[in-house]
Amino acid sequence: MWLKPEEVLLKNALKLWVTEKSNSYFILQRRRRQGDSGGKLSGLLVGALDAVLDSNARVAPFRILHQMPGSQVYWVIACGATVEEIQQHWEWLEQNLLHTLSVFDNKDDVISFVHGKVKGLIAEETRSKLAEQEEDPEKFREALVKFETRFNFPDLEKLVTYYSCCCWKGRVPRQGWIYLSINHLCFYSFLLGKEVKLMIPWADVKRLERTSNTLISEIIRVTTRSKERDFSMFLNIDETFRLMELLADVTIRRLLDNETFELDPPLQEPTQITKKNLEARMQTEYFRACFRLPRVEKLAEIVDCFLWTPYSQCHTAGKLYTSENYICFASKEEGSCNVIIPLQEVVTVEKMEDTSLLPNPIIVGVQSKRVFQFTEVENREHLVEQLSKRLELLRGEKPGCLEKSEVEETVSSDSSGSLEELCTTSTALDSLVNTSSIKKEPRHSLNSEALMALFHLTDTESADSTVGMEEVKKRLWYDHFVEYGRTVSMFRTEKIRKLVAMGIPECLRGELWLVFSDAVTDLAAHPNYYANLVDKSMGRCCMATEEIERDLHRSLPEHPAFQSDTGIAALRRVLTAYAYRNPKIGYCQSMNILTSVLLLYAKEEEAFWLLVAVCERMLPDYFNRRVIGAQVDQAVFEELIKEHLPELAEHVTDLSCLASITLSWFLTLFLSIISLESALNVVDCFFYDGIKVIFQVGLAILDANTQELCSCTDDGQVLIILSRFLDHITNKESPLPQIAQQHVFSDEEPVQQVEISDLIRDSYEKFGDLHVGQIEQMRCRHRIRVLQNLEDTTKQNVLRVVAPDVSFSTEGLGDLYDLFKREHLLSCYWGGNSSAAHHDPSLPYLEQYRINRFQFNSLFCLLSPWTWGAHTDILAQRTFRVLDENADSLIDFKELVSCLDIMYYGDFSEKLRLLYRLHIPPACSDDDTDNLSPLKTTFISSVQPDYFSKSNGEAINYEHQLKKMLEDLVKRKKESTKDLSLMTQREFIQFCKTLYSMFREDPEENNLYQAIATVTTLLLQIGEVGQRIRSSDSMSELHSASSKESEVLTPTDVPDAVFEEVDVGLKNNHPPSQPGEDDWSVSFEQILASLLTEQCLVNFFEKSVAINCKLLHAKTNQYQQRINLTIH
C-alpha cells in the first residue's frame, strides 16, 4: 500500500533491511528474517522483534524508499505484505515516474513532485474504497472529487451521499447539489457565473422538518439557531429526509450526548458511517424497539417467510429477524402475531424436506417442547448455518457466566471520580463477572417470594365479587397458555393484548411481567449474579446510597409491605445493587416507586432483573441526570396531541404547560398518578406493548377532558381538571382495597368515576394505530431539538456566571461562547495536533466545554487584539500557561473571556500587568522559540550612556528624578496587588520585543518607537543600578563575615536605598552572587512608573479597541483557519 511520505534517517538501520532492487531515485527493500543466511545476530533480533510485536504493530516485510542522489535522507513511500504487492508498486514507479524525474533541475522540485504523486495515489485509493460501497461507484467517485475540491475539507470529513436539489433564498430557487457528510450538510451551486456555497454543521441544526411554501408542496427545512434553509426538487424526498434525520441524530448524539455516546459503539467511529451503515443502523434500532431487546443486540438478517400458527391452523406471512441471541418474527399485519425466541431456549434448528406444500421449511425447537415451523425462507441454507453456529457458540460458553458487555453497556470505561463517587470500579466489575457463576452462601438474606404473598391485601367488602372475577381471568389465562404458550416464545396476538388490557390476575402478574419483558432470560442466564452484587454493593457509601436512603420511606408508604423492615430492606438491596451495576444511571427519583411495585409481585432477584429491563431496554435514557429519554418522549407526545387532538392543540397553543404535568406520567408509569390498583393495569399493558401504551393512555385522558381543557384560561385550571379526573379512575375488578388518592381537590360538583379497563380499551380503540416505527422516527427527530435546548440552557447558565465579571455585551459574550464551543467541535471533527475530549454533560456547566493549547492558539489568533505575525504564536502559548493555573492543559470559557476582557476593556495598569505576566515564569520558559533569537545574548552592555537627549539636544540626567519617583511608588504599594516576581534581563528583552511588535502599523508608530526607546533606556539604567547595589551589598556582607563584626545597616546607610527596598525579595530568595546578567532585574512597579512618563504610550494602551470587527472576522474565518491548520 502507498504510504504518506515519512522521513527515514538511515536506510538500513542495524542491518534490519536488505536491498532487493534500486535505481537513482527508489530502493526496494526486504526485511531481514531469522532464516536469512548471513547477519545471524541481526536476523535473530528481527525475528524476536517481530514475534514480540502484536499483529497491529508488526512491520510489513517489504518497503520502497525514495531518495535523491547523494543525499543521506530517505522517505518511506510504500510497503507491502507480499512480493506481488510490492512488485506492483515498483513497476508503477518505473513506468510512470522514473523517466519523468530526469527533466527536473532542482532537487526540491523532484521531492515535491514524488510526494505529491504518492499523496494523490493515497487519496485515489481512499476514494475507491468509499466508492465501492455505493450502488454506483463511478458516480460516487466523481461526486467525492467534486466535494473535496469545492469545500476543501480535511480527509477526515467523509462524504456519505449526495443529491441534486434546489436551495431557496426567499422566493428564488438555486439549482445545485447537496452533499451530506459525517459532520456537515453542504450545498453548492454555480449558475450564471455566480457561485454559492453553504456549510451547515449538523451540530448547529435545531430542527429538521418536511413542510411546504407558497410555490412548492414538499420541501425540507433545516433550522439552525440563526437561519432557516429550504431545499426542494429531490428525486426521492423520503430517502433524503430519512438520511438527513439519521445523520443529524447520530452526529448530535456523538458530540453532545456523552452518555449515549459511550453506550453506542457504532457512533464512536464516524469514519465508518456510510449510507448503507445508516440504513442498517435504522433497521437495527427498529428491531430492538419493536421486540424490546438489549442494546447490544445487532440485527443480522431479515428474511421474508411464513410462520405456521397452530391456533389459527394457517401460515402467517411476515418477516424473520435474527441477531446474536434472538430469533424474532413479526407478521405483516400489525399486531397479528409476534414471536420472540431467545437462542438460550432453542434446542434445534433444522431444515425440513422441501415439498410443494412446504417450500424451503425450517423448524426451530425450544425447551418448552414447542416447535416453530417457518416456510418459504429465502436463502435457507445460509440462515440455518448461521443460526447453528450461534447455537454452538452459546452452548460452548460456561453456563451462567455473565457477559461482561451487558454489565459495562452503561458503564464508561474512562469514568472519572473516586470509588465512593461511583460505587464501582472496573476491578470490582471484573471480580463480579468472574464470580457470578460461583455458588456461595450470600452474606445478605434475600426475599424468596413476592411481598404481596407476605402482605396480602383484600377488600373485605367486595371480596366475593372480585375473587370471582380473578378466578375467571385466571381460567382464561390458563386456557390461553395451552394454545399459545407460556414462555417468552409464546405467540403474541391480539387476543393476548385484550387479556392484558383486562388486567392480569394477581397470582400471574409477576410471572407474566418477567415473560413479556424477557427479564426471565437474563435471570436464567446469570444465576447468583444478583446475590453476589448485593454482597459487593451493600455497605458502600456514595451519593446514590444517600439518595436511596432518603427515598426508602417515601415508596408506597400506605402499603403494609413498606411499613415493615422486610419490604424496606428488600427495596434498599435492589436499588443499591442496581446503582452498583450501572453507575451511569445510579439512582434516580421515581425508580423507588417502580421498584417497590415490582417487589410486590416478584421475588427480590426477579424484581432486580425487571428493573434492569425497564431502565436499560424499555425506557432507554429515562433514568439519568438529564432524563433525555423522558424529555424526548414529551416532545413526541406534544406532536401526537397536535395530530390526534387538533382542537385541544389549537386552544392550548403552548403545550409546555401540559408537559409539566404529563412528564410524571411517563417517569412513573402512572404509579404515583392514579390509585395503585388502577395503575397496575397500565403497568401490565406497558410490559406487553412498551412505551406506546403510555402515549395511548395519555392521549385517552386528554381526549376525555378536551372540552373542559379548552375552556381553561390558565395553567392552574388545567392542573385541577386533570388531577380531579385522575383521582377518580378506579378498578372495581381489583381484589386490592381502595387506597387514598394522591390529589384531592374539594369541589361541590360530583365527578363521574372512570373504570381503568374502559380507559385502556378506549386508548386502544382510538389511538391503537400507533406503531413502534412511527414513535422511533419521531424520537429521532425530537431528540435533536431536546439536545439543542439543553445546549442552549448550558450556554445561558455559563453566560449568567461569566457576565458580571466582564465588560462584554450580552450579544458579544454569546458570540464568544459560540466560537469557543465551535473550536471544541472542530477538534472533534478533524482532530488536529491534539484531539479534543468528548463533551461530558455530567460536569458543571463551565467545565463541559474546555479547550487545549492547540485550540486556544487558534482562538487567540482570531480574537486577540495583540496579534503580530510570527510573534503571535509565542504570545498565545504564554497566555495559555498563565490561564492554565491548575496545570491540567485545559482552560474553560470563563478563563478565556477574562483574558480577552483585559485586552479589550482593561485599563493601562491591567493591560501592562498581563503583558508583564506573559514574560515571567511560568508563562515564559526556555522552550519558547522566541528565546532562541540573537537578542537572547547580553543586551545591557550595548547601552552605555546614562544620559539621553531631548529633541532640542539638551542632555538631561534622570537619576534624581528616578529616585524620587521610585521612593513614592514603593510607599504607595497597593495591598490588593498580587506580588509579581522580578523580571530578569532575558525576560525584559522579550518584553521589549513584544512592545515593539505591538506598535507596527499604528498611526503613531514613530512616536511610540521613540517613547519606548526612552523608557527602555531608563529601565536598563534602573536594572544596572540595582545590580551594582546588590553587588556592593554582597561584598560588604562577605567582609563583615570575615571580620566577625555584626553591623545593622539602615536604608540611609546605603546610597539609592530605594532600589534595595524594591529588590529585597530578590535578596531574600537568591544567595549573593558575582555581578552578571542573572543579577540584573526590574519590577512591575518600575516598568509601570517608567511607562507612565510617556503620554503616547499611556494613550496607546488606554484607547478602546472594538471587538465587533474581530468577532465578525472570526465567524467568517474560523472554519478556514482550522482546515488550513489540519491539512498542513
Side-chain angles (χ1 to χ4, degrees):
M1 61 182 293
W2 297 106
L3 302 174
K4 185 177 180 180
E6 183 177 348
E7 189 173 315
V8 179
L9 295 179
L10 296 174
K11 69 173 181 177
N12 196 14
L14 298 177
K15 297 184 178 180
L16 300 180
W17 295 90
V18 179
T19 299
E20 296 285 328
K21 295 182 181 181
S22 65
N23 54 44
S24 301
Y25 295 99
F26 303 104
I27 301 173
L28 190 155
Q29 293 185 324
R30 172 178 55 82
R31 189 167 174 80
R32 190 185 296 278
R33 296 302 182 195
Q34 187 172 347
D36 291 346
S37 58
K40 292 183 179 179
L41 181 60
S42 59
L44 289 171
L45 174 62
V46 176
L49 285 173
D50 290 346
V52 170
L53 293 174
D54 60 32
S55 59
N56 293 326
R58 285 177 186 165
V59 180
F62 299 95
R63 71 178 184 179
I64 297 177
L65 302 179
H66 167 54
Q67 67 166 358
M68 289 299 299
S71 173
Q72 296 300 313
V73 180
Y74 302 82
W75 290 271
V76 181
I77 61 173
C79 68
T82 63
V83 176
E84 292 76 13
E85 181 184 2
I86 204 69
Q87 186 64 33
Q88 184 179 0
H89 290 342
W90 180 262
E91 291 175 358
W92 189 93
L93 291 171
E94 286 186 327
Q95 296 171 9
N96 296 277
L97 277 190
L98 190 58
H99 301 296
T100 309
L101 299 181
S102 60
V103 302
F104 291 98
D105 298 328
N106 192 324
K107 292 183 178 181
D108 292 336
D109 292 341
V110 174
I111 296 172
S112 299
F113 182 77
V114 173
H115 290 188
K117 277 290 185 184
V118 172
K119 290 178 181 178
L121 290 170
I122 295 172
E124 186 61 30
E125 281 185 351
T126 304
R127 293 192 195 102
S128 298
K129 289 178 182 177
L130 294 175
E132 286 170 3
Q133 302 177 29
E134 303 300 322
E135 296 175 359
D136 193 337
E138 196 59 38
K139 285 187 177 180
F140 187 82
R141 190 178 291 109
E142 293 176 7
L144 185 58
V145 172
K146 291 178 181 178
F147 172 72
E148 293 172 350
T149 305
R150 290 167 176 172
F151 298 98
N152 195 31
F153 282 128
D155 294 339
L156 291 175
E157 188 64 28
K158 182 176 174 297
L159 179 65
V160 177
T161 191
Y162 63 99
Y163 300 97
S164 173
C165 71
C166 280
C167 178
W168 291 78
K169 186 175 182 180
R171 292 175 172 268
V172 179
R174 291 193 66 87
Q175 181 64 36
W177 293 87
I178 190 170
Y179 298 90
L180 307 181
S181 67
I182 57 175
N183 296 306
H184 296 84
L185 181 156
C186 302
F187 176 81
Y188 181 86
S189 173
F190 187 82
L191 291 175
L192 302 176
K194 185 176 181 180
E195 185 180 53
V196 175
K197 286 184 185 179
L198 294 177
M199 292 184 294
I200 304 174
W202 292 118
D204 288 352
V205 174
K206 290 200 70 172
R207 182 175 300 169
L208 284 170
E209 55 186 336
R210 289 176 66 171
T211 182
S212 61
N213 59 22
T214 55
L215 300 176
I216 301 294
S217 59
E218 278 197 308
I219 61 174
I220 296 177
R221 178 165 294 162
V222 181
T223 305
T224 63
R225 288 180 174 84
S226 56
K227 291 182 180 178
E228 287 184 351
R229 298 285 185 182
D230 290 345
F231 300 92
S232 67
M233 299 293 187
F234 292 99
L235 186 62
N236 189 339
I237 193 169
D238 294 327
E239 176 189 305
T240 307
F241 185 68
R242 185 178 71 250
L243 281 173
M244 290 171 71
E245 274 189 332
L246 288 171
L247 267 174
D249 179 56
V250 165
T251 305
I252 289 174
R253 289 168 71 178
R254 174 167 52 88
L255 297 174
L256 305 182
D257 186 11
N258 192 57
E259 294 160 316
T260 305
F261 175 84
E262 291 186 355
L263 297 178
D264 204 344
L267 301 183
Q268 299 187 26
E269 190 52 56
T271 56
Q272 300 300 317
I273 296 175
T274 63
K275 182 179 175 182
K276 288 184 178 180
N277 288 346
L278 283 172
E279 292 173 344
R281 171 182 168 75
M282 180 181 65
Q283 290 178 334
T284 295
E285 289 194 340
Y286 171 79
F287 165 68
R288 289 199 297 246
C290 182
F291 300 103
R292 296 184 297 284
L293 302 179
R295 285 189 175 185
V296 294
E297 293 301 316
K298 185 177 180 181
L299 181 62
E301 293 100 4
I302 305 178
V303 179
D304 289 319
C305 66
F306 287 83
L307 171 64
W308 173 253
T309 50
Y311 58 87
S312 61
Q313 294 294 303
C314 69
H315 289 89
T316 302
K319 291 182 181 294
L320 183 69
Y321 303 84
T322 66
S323 66
E324 187 176 354
N325 296 295
Y326 289 89
I327 302 172
C328 302
F329 175 85
S331 60
K332 288 186 177 179
E333 184 182 349
E334 182 77 20
S336 174
C337 179
N338 280 14
V339 176
I340 301 173
I341 309 173
L343 283 182
Q344 185 177 311
E345 285 191 15
V346 175
V347 178
T348 59
V349 177
E350 298 176 355
K351 293 183 290 185
M352 290 177 60
E353 184 181 353
D354 189 1
T355 66
S356 58
L357 294 177
L358 297 175
N360 294 333
I362 291 177
I363 58 169
V364 178
V366 296
Q367 293 173 356
S368 59
K369 299 181 180 179
R370 183 179 294 274
V371 174
F372 295 90
Q373 183 189 88
F374 299 94
T375 58
E376 298 189 37
V377 180
E378 297 178 3
N379 204 357
R380 177 177 63 156
E381 286 72 16
H382 173 75
L383 181 62
V384 171
E385 180 184 355
Q386 294 300 315
L387 290 175
S388 299
K389 286 181 180 179
R390 289 175 202 149
L391 273 177
E392 290 177 9
L393 186 63
L394 197 63
R395 290 167 183 166
E397 295 175 354
K398 294 181 181 180
C401 181
L402 172 68
E403 294 180 18
K404 187 174 179 180
S405 61
E406 294 186 17
V407 179
E408 295 185 339
E409 178 189 347
T410 53
V411 181
S412 169
S413 60
D414 58 351
S415 298
S416 60
S418 63
L419 176 65
E420 289 77 11
E421 292 171 342
L422 296 179
C423 285
T424 188
T425 62
S426 58
T427 306
L429 285 171
D430 290 338
S431 172
L432 183 64
V433 167
N434 295 332
T435 61
S436 61
S437 59
I438 301 175
K439 189 172 182 179
K440 60 181 181 180
E441 193 65 29
R443 292 188 290 112
H444 297 83
S445 59
L446 309 179
N447 289 355
S448 59
E449 53 185 334
L451 293 178
M452 192 61 81
L454 300 175
F455 302 89
H456 187 62
L457 297 178
T458 57
D459 190 350
T460 55
E461 297 180 3
S462 58
D464 294 338
S465 61
T466 54
V467 169
M469 182 59 68
E470 282 287 294
E471 288 298 324
V472 171
K473 290 182 182 179
K474 198 187 305 182
R475 283 198 301 271
L476 289 173
W477 274 101
Y478 284 133
D479 292 342
H480 187 276
F481 291 152
V482 172
E483 193 171 3
Y484 293 84
R486 190 169 182 170
T487 63
V488 175
S489 55
M490 66 170 63
F491 291 99
R492 307 184 187 215
T493 65
E494 191 63 33
K495 182 178 178 181
I496 195 172
R497 179 178 283 116
K498 291 178 180 178
L499 286 175
V500 172
M502 292 169 57
I504 298 175
E506 295 282 308
C507 60
L508 295 175
R509 183 164 271 142
E511 175 190 344
L512 289 176
W513 284 358
L514 285 165
V515 169
F516 292 155
S517 64
D518 194 31
V520 67
T521 301
D522 289 334
L523 176 65
H526 309 134
N528 304 316
Y529 170 72
Y530 174 69
N532 293 337
L533 197 61
V534 169
D535 288 343
K536 290 179 179 292
S537 60
M538 292 302 292
R540 294 180 180 269
C541 182
C542 65
M543 187 179 297
T545 57
E546 293 174 3
E547 293 175 352
I548 289 169
E549 290 297 325
R550 189 167 56 245
D551 286 349
L552 283 177
H553 294 280
R554 303 174 186 173
S555 310
L556 296 184
E558 67 281 355
H559 199 287
F562 299 101
Q563 295 170 359
S564 69
D565 292 339
T566 303
I568 293 295
L571 182 60
R572 178 187 292 112
R573 288 191 294 269
V574 173
L575 292 174
T576 305
Y578 186 78
Y580 184 83
R581 165 192 165 88
N582 192 344
K584 266 295 182 185
I585 292 178
Y587 170 77
C588 294
Q589 285 189 346
S590 77
M591 286 175 65
N592 60 319
I593 299 172
L594 173 62
T595 307
S596 59
V597 173
L598 298 178
L599 283 167
L600 289 178
Y601 292 96
K603 299 175 185 177
E604 187 175 326
E605 186 176 10
E606 295 171 346
F608 171 80
W609 287 111
L610 282 169
L611 182 64
V612 170
V614 172
C615 294
E616 297 175 13
R617 283 191 241 165
M618 305 183 74
L619 295 177
D621 302 330
Y622 263 61
F623 301 99
N624 53 40
R625 192 179 69 88
R626 301 194 295 173
V627 291
I628 289 175
Q631 292 190 59
V632 170
D633 280 352
Q634 283 301 294
V636 173
F637 191 51
E638 289 180 16
E639 183 176 343
L640 291 174
I641 292 172
K642 294 176 182 177
E643 181 181 340
H644 293 277
L645 304 173
E647 182 183 357
L648 178 61
E650 185 178 351
H651 177 77
V652 187
T653 53
D654 183 10
L655 293 174
S656 59
C657 66
L658 283 177
S660 62
I661 300 172
T662 60
L663 178 62
S664 59
W665 300 358
F666 288 80
L667 285 173
T668 66
L669 306 178
F670 286 97
L671 286 170
S672 62
I673 307 301
I674 58 180
S675 60
L676 177 61
E677 65 274 10
S678 301
L680 287 171
N681 284 30
V682 179
V683 176
D684 293 341
C685 297
F686 168 76
F687 275 114
Y688 181 77
D689 260 335
I691 192 62
K692 66 170 285 187
V693 170
I694 309 301
F695 285 115
Q696 290 175 187
V697 174
L699 289 172
I701 292 172
L702 295 180
D703 181 51
N705 294 276
T706 296
Q707 296 303 321
E708 292 184 71
L709 291 174
C710 288
S711 63
C712 292
T713 56
D714 57 54
D715 297 349
Q717 291 180 348
V718 173
L719 176 61
I720 292 173
I721 290 170
L722 291 177
S723 298
R724 187 193 302 121
F725 180 85
L726 294 168
D727 286 344
H728 288 82
I729 295 176
T730 63
N731 186 1
K732 296 178 181 177
E733 297 177 356
S734 172
L736 299 178
Q738 296 289 323
I739 298 176
Q741 305 304 312
Q742 300 291 325
H743 323 286
V744 178
F745 293 87
S746 59
D747 199 329
E748 297 179 358
E749 297 181 8
V751 180
Q752 183 179 1
Q753 291 188 338
V754 178
E755 187 66 25
I756 186 63
S757 57
D758 295 336
L759 183 66
I760 292 175
R761 187 182 64 251
D762 289 344
S763 74
Y764 274 104
E765 290 176 355
K766 294 181 179 180
F767 311 107
D769 57 346
L770 279 176
H771 57 85
V772 173
Q774 180 186 359
I775 292 174
E776 285 303 305
Q777 284 183 356
M778 289 192 287
R779 278 177 167 177
C780 176
R781 185 161 60 251
H782 289 290
R783 188 183 293 112
I784 297 170
R785 184 164 62 89
V786 168
L787 287 173
Q788 294 291 18
N789 288 341
L790 290 171
E791 287 297 298
D792 290 342
T793 301
T794 299
K795 177 180 177 179
Q796 291 167 7
N797 283 288
V798 170
L799 298 187
R800 189 179 300 115
V801 171
V802 173
D805 300 329
V806 296
S807 302
F808 292 107
S809 65
T810 304
E811 183 180 355
L813 199 59
D815 290 340
L816 285 171
Y817 181 87
D818 292 338
L819 290 167
F820 182 86
K821 177 182 172 181
R822 183 174 296 165
E823 191 63 39
H824 169 89
L825 294 177
L826 287 173
S827 289
C828 295
Y829 298 159
W830 309 316
N833 289 351
S834 178
S835 59
H838 291 290
H839 171 51
D840 187 355
S842 64
L843 295 174
Y845 291 117
L846 269 174
E847 298 178 19
Q848 289 186 19
Y849 289 108
R850 294 191 294 169
I851 57 175
N852 56 31
R853 186 188 308 273
F854 175 74
Q855 298 161 324
F856 176 80
N857 284 8
S858 298
L859 280 180
F860 188 90
C861 295
L862 288 169
L863 296 173
S864 173
W866 298 351
T867 51
W868 320 286
H871 199 66
T872 303
D873 288 338
I874 299 168
L875 205 62
Q877 293 173 19
R878 294 176 178 176
T879 306
F880 185 87
R881 294 188 197 116
V882 169
L883 298 179
D884 185 24
E885 293 182 354
N886 59 357
D888 64 350
S889 299
L890 294 169
I891 65 168
D892 59 35
F893 178 68
K894 186 175 183 179
E895 291 167 332
L896 171 71
V897 172
S898 63
C899 174
L900 291 176
D901 188 61
I902 294 174
M903 293 180 178
Y904 281 98
Y905 299 108
D907 58 25
F908 175 73
S909 175
E910 291 172 333
K911 291 179 180 177
L912 190 65
R913 172 176 289 276
L914 178 58
L915 277 172
Y916 186 91
R917 292 182 64 193
L918 296 181
H919 294 82
I920 59 175
C924 185
S925 69
D926 292 335
D927 295 334
D928 286 346
T929 55
D930 199 37
N931 283 339
L932 303 177
S933 66
L935 285 176
K936 183 177 177 179
T937 57
T938 302
F939 181 62
I940 260 186
S941 59
S942 64
V943 185
Q944 296 294 338
D946 290 337
Y947 301 91
F948 45 90
S949 300
K950 279 188 171 183
S951 57
N952 58 6
E954 179 185 355
I956 296 180
N957 189 334
Y958 277 87
E959 184 176 349
H960 298 293
Q961 296 181 28
L962 285 171
K963 258 194 228 177
K964 179 64 178 173
M965 179 182 68
L966 291 173
E967 285 173 354
D968 294 339
L969 189 62
V970 169
K971 290 178 182 178
R972 58 186 180 86
K973 277 187 177 180
K974 297 181 180 179
E975 294 182 1
S976 61
T977 303
K978 183 180 178 182
D979 291 335
L980 296 172
S981 62
L982 299 178
M983 184 177 282
T984 65
Q985 178 190 350
R986 180 181 301 172
E987 294 161 359
F988 178 71
I989 293 170
Q990 302 303 322
F991 178 78
C992 294
K993 288 180 65 178
T994 300
L995 290 177
Y996 271 98
S997 300
M998 293 177 73
F999 304 147
R1000 286 181 193 164
E1001 300 181 5
D1002 190 274
E1004 297 292 326
E1005 184 177 355
N1006 292 333
N1007 293 334
L1008 290 169
Y1009 282 153
Q1010 184 176 359
I1012 197 61
T1014 302
V1015 171
T1016 302
T1017 306
L1018 179 62
L1019 288 167
L1020 288 171
Q1021 292 179 18
I1022 294 173
E1024 283 187 325
V1025 172
Q1027 186 180 23
R1028 289 199 298 269
I1029 291 173
R1030 283 188 295 276
S1031 177
S1032 62
D1033 285 351
S1034 63
M1035 295 299 295
S1036 63
E1037 288 177 9
L1038 289 172
H1039 178 72
S1040 299
S1042 63
S1043 61
K1044 298 182 181 180
E1045 297 177 359
S1046 100
E1047 298 181 1
V1048 179
L1049 296 177
T1050 63
T1052 55
D1053 293 327
V1054 182
D1056 300 324
V1058 65
F1059 296 106
E1060 181 182 49
E1061 185 174 354
V1062 170
D1063 297 328
V1064 69
L1066 187 68
K1067 290 168 60 178
N1068 292 337
N1069 293 331
H1070 301 282
S1073 60
Q1074 294 300 321
E1077 180 185 352
D1078 292 337
D1079 295 323
W1080 189 99
S1081 63
V1082 291
S1083 68
F1084 169 71
E1085 290 79 7
Q1086 291 169 338
I1087 293 177
L1088 175 62
S1090 301
L1091 288 175
L1092 284 170
T1093 62
E1094 296 292 337
Q1095 188 60 42
C1096 63
L1097 292 176
V1098 176
N1099 294 341
F1100 174 83
F1101 282 103
E1102 288 284 358
K1103 70 181 179 182
S1104 61
V1105 182
I1107 194 175
N1108 293 335
C1109 295
K1110 278 280 188 180
L1111 288 174
L1112 185 61
H1113 177 266
K1115 290 178 187 177
T1116 307
N1117 294 278
Q1118 185 178 22
Y1119 254 73
Q1120 193 56 49
Q1121 174 179 287
R1122 172 48 73 93
I1123 289 172
N1124 294 339
L1125 289 172
T1126 305
I1127 292 176
H1128 298 300

